[in-house]
Amino acid sequence: MRLVILDNYDLASEWAAKYICNRIIQFRPGQDRYFTLGLPTGSTPLGCYKKLIEYHKNGDLSFKYVKTFNMDEYVGLPRNHPESYHSYMWNNFFKHIDIDPNNAHILDGNATDLQAECDAFEKKIKEAGGIDLFVGGIGPDGHIAFNEPGSSLVSRTRLKTLAMDTILANAKYFDGDLSKVPTMALTVGVGTVMDAREVMILITGAHKAFALYKAIEEGVNHMWTVSAFQQHPRTIFVCDEDATLELRVKTVKYFKEPLCIGGFPGVSDGKESAYNVGDPGSIPGSGRSSGERKTKQSER
């Protein structure tokens, strides 16, 4: 597990975007070799999406050979509703890049048979070869996608009833009117995300600080579903300073100061440098470096 701490939301968004960009470029996708990316919605990833759009428009990144799978969608909300996740993704990301619409997969919350829709989504992920990098965000109660507290940590894509905390948090997108907020959603399961080869979770803001504490400093607990990713072999938590407010001082210091053993910076049992080979710093071919604090790259 890795924890990357940046000074603020903008830097955290830029770091995440550069990480995604570099992963796609290094993969060298092509007509017979697609990079498969899992994507979230909500306010947290907006800064990351804006940066990815910028890299695309600058000619540094193409999504022509990228397939995407979104985490969730409301049930019963028309696809063209401004708050549907179809609308969110197209307005905030897809229409600004060169992705083939047929390669952008979002659950249909208006399907006649919702369970069949969920089963078909899992099948499409499998047929795509699995997810190379699943990007996610969390709620203040530690849920990832719509895997609310108490969800099974081996769950698959399914229909979920939303917790009242989630409904209250999402009311701001529906003019503050709780009666307008959908109460059910289709969501990938915790197990679905755990199957990805790599997971990156974005956590920003003081209101997510307790959830980050539960995610990394306490044990795995189905009441805090994000904690399951302690057990994933390649999880990166990307956060800003505000999100670390509930962490122990020594935890923050530990992840901010890469350990050096035997001449290999950042390599230890359970700890890795925030800047391993292939991580952000610059986008290959762009000649532009990041504005974040530099550390030596480690070798693996």
Side-chain angles (χ1 to χ4, degrees), residues 242-300:
D242 286 347
T244 68
L245 293 177
E246 296 285 349
L247 297 182
R248 296 181 178 90
V249 172
K250 67 179 182 180
T251 299
V252 174
K253 184 176 181 181
Y254 178 75
F255 283 104
K256 275 190 169 183
E257 297 179 0
L259 187 63
C260 186
I261 296 179
F264 291 92
V267 178
S268 70
D269 186 12
K271 178 183 179 183
E272 298 178 75
S273 166
Y275 294 89
N276 285 314
V277 173
D279 283 355
S282 64
I283 300 171
S286 71
R288 293 190 298 277
S289 61
S290 83
E292 297 123 60
R293 180 178 61 251
K294 299 288 192 269
T295 66
K296 292 182 180 179
Q297 292 184 329
S298 66
E299 298 176 6
R300 290 190 292 179

Side-chain angles (χ1 to χ4, degrees), residues 104-167:
H105 302 284
I106 305 176
L107 286 155
D108 182 0
N110 294 289
T112 303
D113 187 334
L114 294 176
Q115 186 55 54
E117 171 67 11
C118 294
D119 294 343
F121 200 73
E122 289 276 348
K123 184 178 179 181
K124 288 176 184 176
I125 292 174
K126 186 175 181 179
E127 290 173 345
I131 306 291
D132 292 302
L133 172 62
F134 219 131
V135 183
I138 65 168
D141 61 0
H143 73 257
I144 185 164
F146 276 129
N147 292 286
E148 303 284 33
S151 294
S152 166
L153 300 185
V154 295
S155 54
R156 312 305 300 186
T157 303
R158 68 207 186 285
L159 174 67
K160 280 290 293 181
T161 300
L162 303 184
M164 182 52 67
D165 283 349
T166 300
I167 294 171

Side-chain angles (χ1 to χ4, degrees), residues 1-3 19 23 131-133 190-201 220 227-237 268-272 276 300:
M1 186 192 77
R2 299 164 59 189
L3 176 65
Y19 192 90
R23 278 290 181 257
I131 306 291
D132 292 302
L133 172 62
V190 178
T192 310
V193 183
M194 284 286 288
D195 281 350
R197 284 176 276 281
E198 189 170 12
V199 178
M200 180 167 65
I201 300 174
V220 175
S227 67
F229 296 94
Q230 294 178 23
Q231 297 186 316
H232 192 283
R234 290 185 64 84
T235 295
I236 306 174
F237 291 95
S268 70
D269 186 12
K271 178 183 179 183
E272 298 178 75
N276 285 314
R300 290 190 292 179

Side-chain angles (χ1 to χ4, degrees), residues 53-72:
I53 292 167
E54 178 185 318
Y55 303 154
H56 169 67
K57 291 186 180 298
N58 288 341
D60 296 321
L61 178 62
S62 172
F63 291 86
K64 184 176 180 179
Y65 297 115
V66 173
K67 293 182 180 181
T68 65
F69 289 86
N70 264 78
M71 283 190 153
D72 40 35

